[in-house]
Amino acid sequence: MDSGIRDIENMPRGGPDASWLDRRLQTNRLEYLDRDDVDDLKRKVMDSLDRAGRRRRIGIHDKCAQMVLREVAEVPAPRILELGAGLGGLSRKLLDSHPTAQMTVTDIEPAFVADMAEGDLGSHPRATVRQMDATEIDAPEGYYDLAVFALSLHHLPPELAARVFAAGTRAAKKLLIVDLPRPPAPLHIALLAVVLPLVRISPLQHDGFISSLRAYSPSALRALGRHADPSITVEFRTRRVLGPTVAVASRS
């Protein structure tokens, strides 16, 4: 076990082997979504993300649903756990796309859970809405065929992110992580420069700027898995520089 994994709390977002420059392209600053003192801004960001997920041109929910469905293609009636579901857009898409999937839809934010429970997900015969912490999943070992944590892991510091790997691979046969990419440092700087002028204008761009600085690299995800449990393996489904990072973790 290398020093970067032993000292997981201080591991760079670019991983134990991150370059000098990449190590400086990160922050501990919280997004609006992570704060408890800006409820209005938090809601604006979540509503914007949900709208973006439903748009045909962007199709975040569609793309994530396709990734999930590929992972459970051989399971007749899969039990799927969505962690950090926000307003539940991905779970809705999965319920519409898979006629026998059983969804457990969760988030740590009480207001988001209440909205989902009071809406169509709360009355759906194949959905259960619960408040749940992704680092402490309340389920028997191997209960779910798949746990999915989409566009959320970057919100957590390394120590808590490692707990997601531990909890997710215990409660589910596989853990699917979909998150923002971490580009090579020179390209990362250029992309941040484009977004920076919009940070003070748009709550969504504010959070997007911080999210980019907190995104984990593939090297970091492997280190988080190994720290959580040496038996956890992490496989990557994508290798595009600017595409989402898509990883599947499981215990050997």
Side-chain angles (χ1 to χ4, degrees):
M1 185 176 291
D2 62 50
S3 59
I5 301 173
R6 286 199 303 270
D7 188 20
I8 199 70
E9 184 177 354
N10 297 311
M11 183 191 73
R13 296 289 174 131
D17 56 352
S19 68
W20 175 89
L21 181 57
D22 189 41
R23 289 168 185 256
R24 279 147 185 80
L25 294 174
Q26 62 181 56
T27 182
N28 291 324
R29 186 170 181 174
L30 297 179
E31 301 175 39
Y32 291 138
L33 281 177
D34 301 318
R35 293 168 54 179
D36 296 325
D37 61 333
V38 288
D39 288 347
D40 184 53
L41 290 170
K42 179 186 293 190
R43 186 64 196 219
K44 286 181 178 178
V45 172
M46 181 52 66
D47 286 343
S48 295
L49 289 171
D50 189 58
R51 285 194 299 271
R54 289 185 274 111
R55 287 177 189 159
R56 289 186 179 182
R57 186 170 61 86
I58 301 174
I60 297 172
H61 296 332
D62 272 331
K63 292 174 183 177
C64 287
Q66 291 169 14
M67 297 171 194
V68 171
L69 293 174
R70 281 195 289 270
E71 297 301 326
V72 296
E74 298 181 1
V75 183
R79 290 177 175 173
I80 303 172
L81 168 66
E82 185 182 5
L83 303 163
L87 300 180
L90 173 55
S91 285
R92 287 189 186 88
K93 182 63 64 174
L94 288 168
L95 289 165
D96 289 343
S97 302
H98 198 301
T100 58
Q102 298 285 333
M103 295 295 309
T104 300
V105 194
T106 72
D107 200 279
I108 196 171
E109 176 62 45
F112 299 160
V113 174
D115 280 356
M116 291 189 290
E118 292 169 3
D120 56 327
L121 285 173
S123 59
H124 198 289
R126 291 185 286 114
T128 301
V129 178
R130 296 182 58 190
Q131 184 175 350
M132 188 180 293
D133 187 334
T135 69
E136 299 178 0
I137 298 173
D138 181 17
E141 183 174 344
Y143 180 81
Y144 295 102
D145 295 291
L146 182 72
V148 56
F149 200 36
L151 303 176
S152 296
L153 190 71
H154 64 272
H155 289 283
L156 303 178
E159 187 174 2
L160 291 180
R163 293 184 193 176
V164 173
F165 277 85
T169 57
R170 180 199 62 79
K173 298 178 178 67
K174 293 189 291 185
L175 169 66
L176 174 63
I177 299 288
V178 183
D179 212 346
L180 302 176
R182 188 170 188 87
L187 177 57
H188 200 175
I189 291 173
L191 294 172
L192 290 170
V194 171
V195 177
L196 183 59
L198 304 174
V199 167
R200 293 183 179 274
I201 301 171
S202 165
L204 181 61
Q205 295 297 340
H206 170 276
D207 273 21
F209 187 89
I210 296 174
S211 293
S212 183
L213 291 170
R214 302 188 77 182
Y216 288 105
S217 71
S219 171
L221 294 179
R222 289 193 185 96
L224 292 171
R226 291 196 300 272
H227 179 80
D229 193 300
S231 70
I232 294 176
T233 59
V234 180
E235 300 178 354
F236 293 91
R237 301 293 193 247
T238 59
R239 287 292 183 182
R240 290 178 295 168
V241 173
L242 293 180
T245 297
V246 183
V248 176
S250 60
R251 295 181 187 243
S252 56

